Amino acid sequence: MDAGIIIQAVLLLAGFVFLIKGSDFFVDGASSVAAILKIPTVIVGLTIVAFGTSAPEAAVSITSSLTGSNAMAVSNVIGSNMFNMLLIIGICAFLNELLMEKEILEKDLPFLVGITILFALFIVIGGDISNIEGIILLILLVAYIAYLIRNAGKSGASNYVEKPKFTLKKSAVFILIGIAGIVIGGDLVVDSASYIALALGMSETLVGLTIVAMGTSLPELVTSLTALKKGENQLVIGNVIGSNIFNILFVLGASSTISAIPLNSSMILDVIIMVAATILCYVFGKTQDKFDKKEGTILIALFIGYMAFAIIRN
């Protein structure tokens, strides 16, 4: 194997480490600030943690958009959402039955289905994601967060983190280190993945859908498996849905606002498959208010099939 590819593969792994550890530092620091400021834990989870686990996708997609690697910007989001919906929920449901909360089933999951279809319509109708459409996605994100905060207030959710991990000064240092790690990691992943794709004759779309998507989704996987181990099964669904919502509204919204993202025709099929996978998860959840081992097996099999299709198509 070419020495350059080996070096870039090492840099790719280093980029993933920077992304994951950077998001960890960011979440720890931000959560500590929230505790000091007496912000309810439910708001911390819905905003800071959701953003933190989606930060790798954001760093990679925004960097790709700035450097003109538009195919990777979008395929990273599609691949990450497929990884989250099919593989993470699939593995967790296979290991332990996942119950669906009424709030998530009636509001958050339908909202995810809606914005996923909206994303598909943007692409099918216009063939790209324009600056205006990017702004629309960001406005929807602000509206969604405002709704979550208002809803948390109405439900009387006033639990706070009992004790902050760090002082305000140390929390600020953690946040800055986290942001630096995310930015550096994003640059490393985009540059090295693009190099490897060109050297091996792979398309940016395939690299984004597979290697980069899986690497940037590691925080979601780790968070979900940790929640499952602690018996907090409902957090798995919330983590995945929250992350997918942030991926579409924030990651794609910010990326396309910076630079309009033109798409090739082959990617339309990937978007349609992502819509179908999201609707399937909604149907599974709606039918019996849970994901069991049988449904987990189906989701895992579908993910493996999709990955095989993406590789063969390239």
Side-chain angles (χ1 to χ4, degrees):
M1 188 181 287
D2 182 74
I5 294 178
I6 295 173
I7 292 171
Q8 293 301 321
V10 172
L11 290 175
L12 180 66
L13 290 174
F16 285 142
V17 171
F18 271 102
L19 282 172
I20 293 165
K21 294 309 294 179
S23 60
D24 282 346
F25 270 69
F26 175 82
V27 169
D28 286 345
S31 297
S32 191
V33 169
I36 293 170
L37 299 177
K38 299 293 184 185
I39 297 174
T41 52
V42 64
I43 303 303
V44 175
L46 291 169
T47 55
I48 295 170
V49 176
F51 176 81
T53 55
S54 292
E57 286 91 337
V60 168
S61 292
I62 291 172
T63 303
S64 298
S65 182
L66 288 170
T67 56
S69 301
N70 294 315
M72 193 176 296
V74 178
S75 59
N76 174 40
V77 168
I78 296 172
S80 293
N81 279 20
M82 293 289 285
F83 185 92
N84 291 346
M85 294 296 293
L86 298 181
L87 194 62
I88 293 181
I89 291 181
I91 289 174
C92 291
F94 183 82
L95 294 174
N96 200 343
E97 189 176 85
L98 300 176
L99 298 176
M100 297 285 289
E101 283 186 353
K102 186 179 178 182
E103 182 80 12
I104 288 177
L105 195 55
E106 293 183 353
K107 295 176 181 176
D108 299 293
L109 191 48
F111 181 72
L112 174 60
V113 171
I115 61 171
T116 305
I117 292 172
L118 178 65
F119 166 44
L121 288 174
F122 282 166
I123 292 173
V124 171
I125 293 172
D128 64 358
I129 307 177
S130 67
N131 301 121
I132 293 174
E133 288 165 343
I135 292 170
I136 290 172
L137 294 177
L138 290 177
I139 291 172
L140 284 172
L141 175 64
V142 172
Y144 178 66
I145 292 174
Y147 161 76
L148 291 175
I149 293 171
R150 185 183 174 190
N151 196 51
K154 278 185 176 181
S155 63
S158 57
N159 294 322
Y160 304 107
V161 178
E162 289 184 8
K163 188 179 179 182
K165 286 184 179 180
F166 318 115
T167 62
L168 190 59
K169 189 175 181 181
K170 191 173 181 180
S171 298
V173 172
F174 264 64
I175 290 172
L176 291 174
I177 292 174
I179 292 172
I182 290 167
V183 172
I184 293 169
D187 283 337
L188 284 173
V189 168
V190 171
D191 292 344
S192 53
S194 299
Y195 180 95
I196 292 170
L198 291 172
L200 297 179
M202 300 166 68
S203 66
E204 279 189 350
T205 300
L206 178 62
V207 174
L209 286 171
T210 55
I211 300 170
V212 176
M214 290 182 190
T216 54
S217 290
L218 287 177
E220 287 91 339
L221 178 60
V222 172
T223 301
S224 296
L225 290 176
T226 302
L228 192 70
K229 188 177 178 181
K230 292 179 178 179
E232 298 170 340
N233 296 357
Q234 292 176 351
L235 287 181
V236 174
I237 303 293
N239 175 43
V240 166
I241 292 173
S243 177
N244 281 17
I245 288 172
F246 263 73
N247 283 348
I248 292 174
L249 297 184
F250 176 71
V251 177
L252 280 180
S255 300
S256 54
T257 299
I258 292 168
S259 173
I261 305 177
L263 301 175
N264 55 53
S265 55
S266 66
M267 206 175 290
I268 293 176
L269 181 57
D270 294 299
V271 175
I272 293 171
I273 293 173
M274 182 179 70
V275 171
T278 307
I279 293 174
L280 178 65
C281 283
Y282 175 71
V283 171
F284 278 173
K286 191 73 175 173
T287 11
Q288 51 184 6
D289 297 338
K290 66 180 179 181
F291 290 89
D292 56 24
K293 183 172 286 193
K294 181 182 72 175
E295 291 166 337
T297 304
I298 292 172
L299 293 177
I300 293 170
L302 287 173
F303 179 78
I304 294 171
Y306 174 68
M307 285 294 104
F309 163 74
I311 293 167
I312 291 169
R313 180 182 60 182
N314 186 69

